[in-house]
């Protein structure tokens, strides 16, 4: 035995690492990503590759400037996860520069300038998304019509052309249209829910053609994360419960004044992605057991409020950032009682 | 207080369940370790007062003879573990956290292992002071961990204004790898229950609860049978689920009684006394057999040992010899750990003696316990909070400890951390959390000491000032008294003069003279009065008002 370094207890470890957690979360994105690709074409995949590449380069560059060990921090995979989450949120028509600006805001501003992994008060992917949504509303709301409605999906070459900023062969407007949530917001007024769904095939059966499956995909991935105990049930549970309760309250029997069915809100837009992948980002979320419940419910309520009475068709990004603001306060107010400190 | 129905327990809200790794050392019964040629016996038990030497170099001693007597109160008496000659008294390294050597007695064994026992006592006919005296004489301290002197704990319980209603016997042995208590219970259950009966005789509690984790079924059967044999309704065995750290004193008490020991207090304040099962066994040997604590069961385990097991070891035996008796594979050995993998102390080498508190030595390999990897950033995942048995927020404590926000750390109950290591065990970023807490606690203690010292010197200064003021005041008072006395005397003289004057009135001629004399007297009196008035005017100024004290 060569004289070993003397270490402090404990000498045993469960064996999990932060890198593994990040990799598992990325893996759990696969069903949702597959559904997005199936219903909306190659755009998301192209964005994903592009953003991952940029994220690694930007993270390495800032680490170099900050004189931190580059490979050690890159290997935690947190930059990759941010890139994946932002790519999943971007419209598949996004040109290359949109991704560049978004990921720069996410990695450089929201993460590294605050001190890097673990020190960022706001979810980097959502900061990137919101910067883009506010700066480039046109590009950020130009979603593709899902497979099965109107024109065929753009081919890989057309998708690549859109990514590079060129016009696809048939012109970009041939493929694009409002998303289900957006259509609901713009065109539902004055009609019964059932009438409206019949008139707008983009609404699909429950919550938008394609979107139903995208959300189901993220729900599946979320269940995997729950099963693996990588995330807790509290945040997604309370967020989805808040959305369900509010949407039942304001469903109004599917009348012309209805704000949409619970299924529309649960399986529409970015609900499941937000509930299982974004709001659960541990760095920016509340951490106490009761605090997580409050945090999730707050985000769920904000999502519903923004969708129903706000200016945006979807509100997950804003809701999460508002939740991030509140997290330290929530934590401070919900400290658990320690052993031996009275009931 | 309600008595629990048989087997009732309150589940531990949080904890971890690492691989138990107990089977390796349980395959064989307890083996007697070979008699070492040379034993190393430190005069100080880690954390306690040094015992007073009562032998000299070259002296022949028998097994059980006192080598160093514990000071009254918290001292722990040291006995010769075998018969032989005291060959040297010198500094030697011992298993301790500081790594500093301790003054040790070197005992050369003569190979005869000749006992000098005290007369056995029939505990049923002994009173508490007598039994405590015996326990003290036999040098027994807690064998489970901290090594607190047992007689001091028992005496404290008797002196306490809270009557002990519950005796808790800690047989949980929750840390992985360690099986010393398990093996002891499996083979010596009757002796252990005798020890429990002795404690019942001393403390006269309402009940005694033996807490055992459910992963030692053979020991549970043995203990249950022994408890049934003594047929004392106060004693009951409570089997609790295997969850680390169920054997931590406060956690075990909660699981068995549902009582939380208030923060910052000791268990005696809640009417509960806790003893480790090994200690109870030592008490039985001391009382019923007159044997001093000269040996204990030590688990030798770890992947570097080809023949792991539990050994009956004389206190002071070098660990290196024990490793050899367990067929150590020196090429595989990567680290030596004294205690369990979660709270144990890593040893620098094997040339260290077994102490009374040495319950386990793990000779591990890199494959079994990989060396620690560099820590990554904290991602606030909160896994630590999910397992903290004290329901703290380890992650917040980590940030406070890092940024030296000691007050915040204290307000988040850092001092309630029992350093069990569950948080660091689950931390995906491999942050050595316990190390941060230890450092922060030490700093906090240091701050408090500094504060206390500052308070103390301020108190002394204030006292000094007050004393000076008081002296000044007394001096003034004495002066004023002197002046008043002088005045009084003068007035008396004046009065005498006036009487004399009055008698002279008859003489008409002298009337004018008297008037002149009276005027002169007045002038004199005025003159005499003047210094008095100046003095009394100065006096208030020299006695500062109480609120101006600090300005002086």
């Amino acid at each position: 035995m060569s004289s070993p370094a003397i270490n402090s207890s404990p000498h045993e470890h469960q064996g999990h690492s932060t890198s593994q957690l990040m990799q598992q979360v990325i893996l759990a994105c696969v069903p949702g990503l597959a559904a997005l690709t199936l219903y909306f074409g190659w755009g998301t995949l192209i964005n994903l590759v592009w953003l991952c590449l940029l994220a690694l380069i930007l993270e390495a560059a800032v680490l170099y400037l900050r004189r931190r060990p580059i490979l050690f921090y890159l290997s935690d995979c947190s930059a990759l996860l941010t890139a994946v989450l932002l790519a999943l949120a971007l419209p598949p028509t996004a040109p290359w520069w949109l991704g560049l600006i978004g990921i720069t805001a996410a990695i450089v501003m929201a993460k590294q300038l605050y001190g890097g992994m673990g020190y960022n008060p706001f979810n980097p992917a959502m900061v990137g998304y919101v910067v883009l949504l506010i700066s480039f509303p046109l590009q950020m709301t130009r979603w593709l019509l899902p497979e099965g409605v109107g024109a065929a999906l753009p081919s890989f070459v057309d998708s690549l052309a859109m990514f590079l900023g060129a016009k696809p062969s048939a012109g970009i407007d041939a493929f694009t249209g409002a998303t289900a949530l957006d259509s609901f917001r713009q065109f539902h007024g004055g009609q019964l829910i059932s009438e409206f769904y019949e008139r707008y095939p983009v609404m699909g059966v429950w919550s938008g053609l394609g979107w139903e499956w995208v959300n189901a995909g993220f729900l599946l991935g979320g269940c995997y994360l729950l099963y693996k105990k990588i995330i807790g049930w509290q945040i997604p549970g309370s967020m989805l419960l808040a959305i369900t309760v509010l949407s039942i309250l304001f469903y109004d029997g599917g009348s012309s004044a209805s704000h949409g069915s619970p299924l529309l809100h649960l399986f529409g837009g970015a609900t499941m992605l937000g509930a299982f992948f974004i709001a659960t980002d541990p760095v920016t979320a509340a951490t106490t057991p009761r605090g997580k419940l409050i945090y999730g419910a707050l985000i769920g309520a904000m999502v519903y409020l923004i969708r129903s009475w706000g200016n945006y068709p979807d509100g997950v990004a804003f809701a999460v950032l508002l939740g991030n603001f509140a997290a330290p306060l929530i934590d401070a107010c919900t400290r658990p009682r320690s052993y031996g400190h009275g009931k | 207080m309600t008595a629990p129905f048989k087997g009732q327990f309150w589940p531990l809200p949080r904890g971890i369940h690492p691989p138990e790794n107990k089977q390796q050392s349980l395959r064989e019964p307890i083996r007697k370790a070979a008699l070492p040629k040379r034993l190393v016996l430190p005069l100080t038990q880690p954390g306690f007062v040094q015992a007073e030497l009562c032998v000299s170099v070259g002296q022949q001693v028998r097994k059980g003879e006192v080598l160093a007597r514990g000071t009254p109160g918290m001292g722990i008496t040291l006995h010769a573990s075998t018969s032989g000659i005291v060959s040297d008294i010198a500094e030697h390294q011992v298993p301790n956290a500081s790594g500093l050597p301790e003054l040790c007695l070197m005992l050369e064994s003569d190979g005869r292992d000749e006992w000098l026992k005290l007369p056995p006592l029939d505990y049923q006919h002994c009173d508490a002071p007598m039994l405590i005296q015996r326990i003290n004489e036999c040098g027994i301290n807690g064998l489970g961990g901290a090594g607190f002197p047992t007689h001091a704990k028992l005496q404290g319980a008797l002196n306490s204004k809270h009557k002990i209603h519950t005796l808790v016997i800690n047989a949980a042995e929750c840390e992985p790898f360690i099986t010393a208590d398990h093996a002891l219970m499996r083979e010596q259950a009757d002796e252990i229950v005798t020890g429990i009966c002795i404690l019942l005789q001393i403390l006269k509690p309402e009940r005694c609860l033996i807490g055992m984790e459910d992963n030692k079924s053979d020991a549970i059967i043995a203990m249950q049978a022994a408890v049934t044999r003594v047929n004392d309704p106060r004693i009951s065995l409570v089997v609790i689920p295997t969850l680390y750290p169920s054997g931590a004193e406060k956690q075990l008490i909660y699981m068995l009684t549902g009582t939380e020991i208030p923060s910052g207090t000791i268990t005696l304040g809640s009417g509960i006394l806790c003893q480790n099962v090994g200690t109870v066994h030592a008490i039985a040997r001391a009382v019923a057999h007159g044997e001093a604590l000269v040996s204990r069961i030590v688990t030798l385990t770890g992947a570097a040992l080809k023949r792991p097991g539990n050994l009956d070891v004389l206190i002071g035996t070098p660990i290196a010899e024990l490793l050899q008796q367990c067929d150590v594979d020196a090429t595989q050995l990567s680290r030596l750990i004294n205690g369990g993998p979660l709270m144990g102390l890593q040893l620098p080498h094997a040339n260290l003696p077994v102490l009374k508190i040495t319950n386990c030595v793990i000779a591990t390999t890199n494959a079994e316990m990989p060396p620690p990897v560099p820590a990554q950033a904290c991602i606030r995942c909160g896994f630590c909070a999910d397992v903290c048995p004290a329901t703290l927020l380890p992650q917040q404590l980590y940030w406070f400890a890092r940024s030296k926000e000691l007050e915040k750390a204290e307000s988040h109950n850092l001092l309630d951390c029992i350093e069990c290591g569950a948080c660091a065990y689950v931390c995906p970023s491999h942050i050595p959390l316990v190390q941060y807490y230890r450092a922060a606690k030490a700093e906090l203690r240091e701050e408090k000491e500094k504060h206390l010292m500052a308070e103390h010197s301020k108190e002394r200064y204030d006292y000094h000032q007050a004393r000076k003021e008081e002296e000044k005041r007394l001096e003034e008072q004495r002066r004023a008294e002197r002046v008043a006395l002088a005045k009084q005397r003068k007035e008396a003289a004046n009065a005498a003069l006036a009487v004399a004057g009055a008698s002279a009135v008859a003489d008409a001629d002298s009337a004018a003279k008297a008037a002149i004399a009276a005027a002169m007297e007045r002038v004199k009196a005025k003159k005499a009065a003047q210094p008095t008035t100046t003095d009394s005017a100065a006096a208030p100024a020299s006695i500062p008002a109480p609120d101006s004290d600090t300005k002086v």
Side-chain angles (χ1 to χ4, degrees):
Chain A
M1 187 176 74
S2 58
S3 63
I6 299 291
N7 300 303
S8 166
S9 66
H11 307 283
E12 250 187 344
H13 194 273
Q14 197 167 36
H16 293 161
S17 73
T18 296
S19 321
Q20 283 168 347
L21 295 186
M22 300 287 168
Q23 288 161 14
Q24 292 285 317
V25 178
I26 293 172
L27 182 72
C29 289
V30 167
L33 175 67
L36 271 171
T37 310
L38 211 62
Y39 280 93
F40 299 98
W42 295 97
T44 306
L45 267 180
I46 295 170
N47 277 330
L48 188 103
V49 174
W50 172 235
L51 289 186
C52 286
L53 195 71
L54 285 176
L56 291 178
I57 292 169
L58 287 169
E59 176 114 325
V62 183
L63 287 171
Y64 174 76
L65 291 175
R66 293 180 61 208
R67 302 201 180 133
R68 295 288 198 280
I70 295 174
L71 279 179
F72 176 71
Y73 280 105
L74 280 188
S75 70
D76 66 30
C77 296
S78 63
L80 276 183
L81 179 58
T82 299
V84 168
L85 294 178
L86 183 58
L88 292 172
L90 285 187
T93 58
W96 62 272
W97 52 267
L98 204 62
L100 175 64
I101 294 168
I103 198 72
T104 307
I107 298 284
V108 179
M109 279 168 47
K111 185 179 170 194
Q112 290 292 348
L113 289 189
Y114 277 99
M117 159 108 125
Y119 291 87
N120 50 300
F122 303 106
N123 185 308
M126 289 303 102
V127 170
Y129 183 84
V130 165
V131 163
L132 293 177
L133 189 61
I134 293 171
S135 313
F136 309 100
L138 179 69
Q139 287 84 349
M140 284 301 285
T141 48
R142 195 159 61 194
W143 267 85
L144 288 176
L145 287 171
E147 171 84 43
V149 180
L153 280 177
S155 67
F156 182 72
V157 176
D158 283 338
S159 298
L160 211 55
M162 283 192 282
F163 172 71
L164 293 171
K167 288 221 158 37
S169 52
I172 202 161
D173 294 337
F175 307 117
T176 57
T179 62
L181 276 181
D182 208 3
S183 309
F184 184 81
R185 176 187 176 73
Q186 289 186 38
F187 312 121
H188 157 239
Q191 306 166 72
L192 291 176
I193 292 276
S194 50
E195 283 174 12
F196 171 70
Y197 268 60
E198 259 171 51
R199 212 166 289 172
Y200 285 82
V202 77
M203 293 309 297
V205 185
W206 301 323
S207 59
L209 198 60
W211 289 103
E212 296 151 351
W213 292 104
V214 170
N215 274 285
F218 285 124
L219 175 62
L220 186 69
C223 289
Y224 172 74
L225 294 181
L226 281 176
Y227 168 72
K228 283 278 188 178
K229 295 195 173 142
I230 288 167
I231 58 171
W233 60 269
Q234 289 96 336
I235 292 174
S238 63
M239 176 175 161
L240 295 178
L241 186 70
I243 292 179
T244 312
V245 169
L246 285 171
S247 53
I248 288 173
L249 279 177
F250 294 97
Y251 179 55
D252 199 22
S255 75
S256 58
S258 170
H259 285 286
S261 72
L263 280 172
L264 172 71
H265 287 287
L266 287 175
F267 284 85
T271 303
M272 292 298 172
L273 176 67
F276 290 99
F277 293 84
I278 310 276
T280 51
D281 165 25
V283 176
T284 56
T287 53
T288 63
R290 274 187 303 144
K292 284 179 187 170
L293 290 174
I294 297 171
Y295 175 83
L298 176 72
I299 292 177
M302 290 309 301
V303 166
Y304 189 80
L305 290 179
I306 294 171
R307 280 181 185 174
S308 297
W309 296 285
N311 271 329
Y312 290 90
D314 202 354
V316 171
F318 289 111
V320 167
L321 291 183
L322 287 167
N324 293 166
F325 269 113
L329 179 66
I330 296 174
D331 272 349
C333 296
T334 56
R335 263 173 56 191
R337 183 188 69 85
S338 300
Y339 179 103
H341 282 269
K343 300 269 167 179
Chain B
M1 197 191 53
T2 53
F5 61 83
K6 220 169 175 59
Q8 185 192 356
F9 67 88
W10 284 256
L12 196 64
R14 285 142 219 268
I16 54 175
H17 193 169
E20 291 171 18
N21 280 310
K22 296 204 183 231
Q23 282 317 305
Q24 298 93 308
S25 51
L26 285 170
R27 277 178 227 131
E28 291 178 51
I30 297 170
R31 284 181 274 156
K32 213 168 167 60
L35 193 65
K37 273 208 75 60
R38 188 165 183 258
L39 297 105
V40 179
L41 297 157
L43 292 175
T44 311
Q45 295 291 314
F48 293 95
V49 202
Q50 184 170 315
E52 284 162 28
L53 200 60
C54 44
V55 290
S56 48
V57 175
Q59 192 173 328
Q60 168 80 39
V61 291
R62 273 177 294 172
K63 181 176 187 166
E65 209 169 315
V66 175
L67 297 178
R69 195 163 291 286
T71 48
M74 294 285 281
I76 303 163
T77 299
L78 178 71
H79 302 81
S81 307
T82 185
S83 56
I85 290 170
V86 177
S87 64
D88 198 5
I89 299 167
E91 290 205 324
H92 193 283
Q93 246 191 310
V94 298
N96 57 10
S98 68
L100 296 174
E102 289 282 353
L103 197 60
C104 296
L105 276 160
M106 312 298 165
L107 183 61
E108 299 293 333
S109 151
D110 60 11
R112 292 201 293 265
D113 207 26
E114 218 176 342
W115 263 108
L116 175 73
K117 294 188 187 181
L118 294 165
L121 295 177
D122 179 4
Y123 70 88
Q124 277 156 328
H125 299 104
C126 291
D127 58 1
M130 217 168 146
L131 292 168
I132 292 178
Q133 169 67 17
R134 170 56 63 92
I135 290 166
N136 188 2
E137 273 172 344
C138 287
I140 296 172
N141 58 345
L143 301 188
F148 196 87
T150 304
H151 67 272
K153 200 173 192 176
L154 294 170
Q155 195 59 57
L158 292 186
N159 296 345
S160 165
K161 60 178 187 286
H162 306 274
K163 165 133 181 49
I164 298 298
H165 53 72
T166 306
L167 170 65
V168 167
I169 302 299
N170 190 343
E173 203 167 53
C174 60
E175 243 190 297
F177 286 92
I178 311 177
T179 56
D181 288 347
H182 184 157
L184 186 70
M185 287 187 282
R186 197 159 75 165
E187 297 177 31
Q188 299 283 331
D190 285 316
E191 201 81 83
I192 290 167
V193 174
T194 305
I196 290 172
C197 293
I198 294 168
L199 286 176
L200 292 176
Q201 174 79 4
I202 296 172
L203 297 167
K204 308 238 182 310
E206 292 160 29
R207 57 177 180 172
C208 167
L209 304 170
I210 308 169
M212 291 179 81
E213 278 194 345
D214 60 8
N215 60 358
K216 14 185 147 330
S217 43
D218 48 356
I220 291 170
I221 293 167
M223 285 296 286
Q224 189 59 63
V227 168
T228 313
R229 274 194 287 277
V230 297
N231 193 26
D232 186 324
R234 288 174 296 175
I235 308 175
S236 48
L237 189 76
V238 186
V239 177
I240 53 176
T242 300
L243 189 71
Y244 177 84
S246 67
E249 188 179 60
K250 290 184 172 182
Q251 275 61 34
L252 183 69
I253 287 174
Y254 174 74
M255 293 183 84
L256 298 187
T257 66
T259 309
E260 282 186 16
I261 305 300
S263 171
T265 70
I266 55 170
T267 66
L268 300 185
S270 304
I272 297 169
L273 185 132
C274 189
Q275 286 291 357
N276 165 266
V277 72
T279 317
V280 176
H281 179 254
I283 289 172
R285 298 301 303 177
V287 174
H289 305 271
E291 289 177 8
L293 178 54
V294 294
S295 68
R296 66 158 297 146
I297 311 298
V298 181
T299 304
L300 280 122
T301 186
L305 300 182
K306 289 188 197 121
R307 200 186 161 200
N310 281 292
L311 271 68
D312 187 357
V313 181
L314 296 180
I315 309 297
T317 306
I319 288 170
E321 289 191 24
L322 300 177
L323 295 180
Q324 267 162 23
Q325 289 168 44
C326 295
D327 300 337
V328 65
D329 181 353
T331 57
Q332 287 294 303
L333 180 61
S334 65
R335 277 191 283 168
L336 273 179
I337 292 157
N338 172 46
L342 292 161
M343 290 188 79
L345 180 74
Q346 192 182 338
L347 300 177
H349 51 77
N351 185 23
L352 301 167
V354 164
L355 306 180
K356 290 179 181 177
I357 54 169
T358 309
N359 53 359
C360 179
V361 175
I362 306 174
T364 192
T365 63
N366 275 331
E368 188 177 49
M369 281 185 213
V373 301
Q376 287 177 297
C378 169
I379 57 165
R380 302 176 195 256
C381 62
F383 291 173
C384 48
D386 293 342
V387 299
C388 177
T391 332
L392 305 174
L393 294 172
Q395 179 242 115
Q396 267 89 337
L397 289 176
Y398 159 71
W399 292 100
F400 296 145
R402 262 189 76 136
S403 54
K404 309 262 178 227
E405 292 174 87
L406 295 178
E407 272 180 27
K408 271 192 177 170
E410 198 185 0
S411 75
H412 277 66
N413 308 329
L414 171 67
L415 296 177
D416 288 305
C417 165
I418 57 169
E419 298 176 24
C420 69
C423 50
Y425 177 78
V426 298
C427 177
S429 288
H430 293 256
I431 300 168
L433 292 163
V434 181
Q435 222 168 305
Y436 280 98
Y437 306 150
R438 279 198 197 109
K441 278 184 186 175
E443 273 171 62
L444 209 56
R445 268 196 294 272
E446 209 174 303
E447 291 265 300
K448 281 206 170 141
E449 251 158 53
K450 262 193 213 157
H451 185 71
L452 219 66
M453 264 168 72
E455 288 264 287
H456 188 63
S457 48
K458 187 180 179 300
E459 217 168 81
R460 265 174 36 183
Y461 176 77
D462 287 349
Y463 177 72
H464 181 70
Q465 288 299 101
R467 204 185 61 193
K468 265 165 68 180
E469 293 302 334
E470 179 66 13
E471 268 171 15
K472 220 174 191 174
R473 198 184 63 76
L474 283 175
E475 183 58 32
E476 289 299 337
Q477 202 181 331
R478 277 198 292 272
R479 205 145 138 204
E481 271 167 17
R482 277 202 303 273
V483 168
L485 205 68
K487 203 174 165 184
Q488 219 177 348
R489 273 192 198 136
K490 224 157 234 161
E491 266 161 17
N494 278 355
L497 220 64
V499 171
S503 66
V505 171
D507 191 346
D509 280 2
S510 61
K513 275 183 190 173
I516 294 165
M520 277 172 72
E521 271 315 312
R522 278 201 300 275
V523 172
K524 265 187 193 167
K526 224 178 196 174
K527 267 187 188 161
Q530 238 158 17
T532 318
T533 46
T534 45
D535 261 5
S536 60
S542 73
I543 302 170
D547 57 350
S548 65
D549 252 0
T550 45
K551 288 175 206 150
V552 174

